Amino acid sequence: MKAAVVTSFSEVLEVGERDIPEPGPGQILVRLEACGLCHTDIHAARGEWPVKPSLPFVPGHEGIGIIEKLGAGVTGRTVGERVSIAWLGSACGACRYCVDGRETLCEMQQNSGYSIDGAFAEYAVASAAYAVPVPDGITSIDAAPLSCAGVTTYKACKVAQVKPTEQVGIFGIGGLGHLAVQYARIMGGTVVAVDIERAKLDLAADLGAEHLVDSAVVDPVAAIQALGGLDVAVVLAASPRVFEQAFASLRRGGRLVCVGLPADDGAMVIPIFETVLKGITIIGSIVGTRQDLAEVFALHATGRTRVVTETRNIYDVNDAIAEVLSGKVPARLVFDYVTVPATV
Ligand code: NAD
Ligand code: ZN
Ligand code: ZN
């Protein structure tokens, strides 16, 4: 099978042939149809975070494909079923977090495309219990970004408890942000979209954002405070400075939701006096549960969200990464393993 492999944190990915993996007990073999390129895959390939993946590894955690084989003891999944391979590759199912509905905090979890091989390949093995079924009526190309960008921003809006009449700032209108705009609106919020690229802001307006702030041209804090400030700020740009701008854009009772993951441990300065006096809440939010993803798929299947993508060939993975880093791609790039012939 063809696979894109990270062999070194300082080299580009190598695309080549690998053996098709065998599903072990409790696992399934999935023939992939599509996989999105999340910015997390770029952080992973460069080893930018404090906890690094072990080399070599196959990135990719927005994988959508068809089950081709069941490992020993698998029940509840069938050959031919379409599933999503998301960041939460598996969890223990028994700890306090797994049991009380916070499985994404499980300390025993495995992460697709990070601690275990992911979906930048024609085939991947996955834990049967953690592969989420994809309902009919959603294309695999749309389902791919929903599997991380979608579920992560849906969850971020959920944990922020966005209410109708509240003003919600979305900082970074990329793969995650273009879906965040839509979930914030579905929950009733008025959206302020913030980015440094005009085209991204135009897309946000198209998707329903009421206010646009171009941080490359204006001071975002002054512009947002002139709009009355934010009840909720969801930060998706991977730069500590943007978190500080988002914090300073909050009004009293505001919630800062940290989602973007800057390199290293990404420290920001929080003024304690202001946090106390304004009653600010700071929340970290990591992807979403299998149930959150099922809800994201259900919303999309009923036509409530729009996924903006362009497809690429997995052989062009390094060019695709450069495109994302340039800030010029519209929302999400998705590797299409079905209609784009993979040629060298
Ligand atoms: P992306 O590259 O598609 O989007 C990032 C966006 O931020 C771009 O539109 C870019 O123009 C914009 N941006 C850059 N600098 C900015 C600035 N100064 N002000 C405003 N906007 C700015 O990336 P993505 O795939 O959407 O991922 C975003 C981040 O979220 C990454 O760090 C990724 O690792 C992280 N992430 C976190 C989770 C989680 O569970 N917490 C899940 C997925 C991704
Ligand atoms: Zn992701
Ligand atoms: Zn657990």
Side-chain angles (χ1 to χ4, degrees), residues 86 97 316:
Y97 303 112
D316 298 326

Side-chain angles (χ1 to χ4, degrees), residues 140-297:
S140 292
I141 299 294
D142 279 3
L146 293 173
S147 301
C148 179
V151 73
T152 299
T153 53
Y154 176 68
K155 185 69 164 194
C157 291
K158 256 189 169 181
V159 297
Q161 300 184 349
V162 172
K163 295 175 192 66
T165 78
E166 286 195 323
Q167 191 144 265
V168 183
I170 308 294
F171 291 75
I173 311 295
L176 269 65
H178 91 286
L179 285 157
V181 168
Q182 300 177 65
Y183 297 126
R185 291 208 10 115
I186 287 170
M187 294 179 196
T190 297
V191 171
V192 181
V194 187
D195 207 292
I196 49 173
E197 298 284 341
R198 191 65 229 177
K200 309 262 190 182
L201 294 170
D202 292 342
L203 173 62
D206 216 33
L207 295 170
E210 282 84 355
H211 304 285
L212 308 178
V213 174
D214 188 340
S215 291
V217 176
V218 298
D219 169 13
V221 178
I224 294 169
Q225 290 297 358
L227 295 169
L230 301 173
D231 299 289
V232 172
V234 180
V235 187
L236 309 169
S239 149
R241 196 171 56 89
V242 182
F243 287 75
E244 291 172 355
Q245 290 169 341
F247 178 92
S249 303
L250 292 171
R251 60 160 70 127
R252 286 172 176 244
R255 284 91 77 200
L256 175 71
V257 189
C258 304
V259 176
L261 284 159
D264 306 318
D265 47 13
M268 67 182 283
V269 174
I270 307 278
I272 297 168
F273 186 79
E274 219 181 312
T275 306
V276 173
L277 273 275
K278 287 171 123 182
I280 302 290
T281 305
I282 299 173
I283 308 170
S285 189
I286 175 81
V287 292
T289 62
R290 289 169 287 174
Q291 176 58 27
D292 293 319
L293 181 52
E295 292 171 20
V296 159
F297 284 150

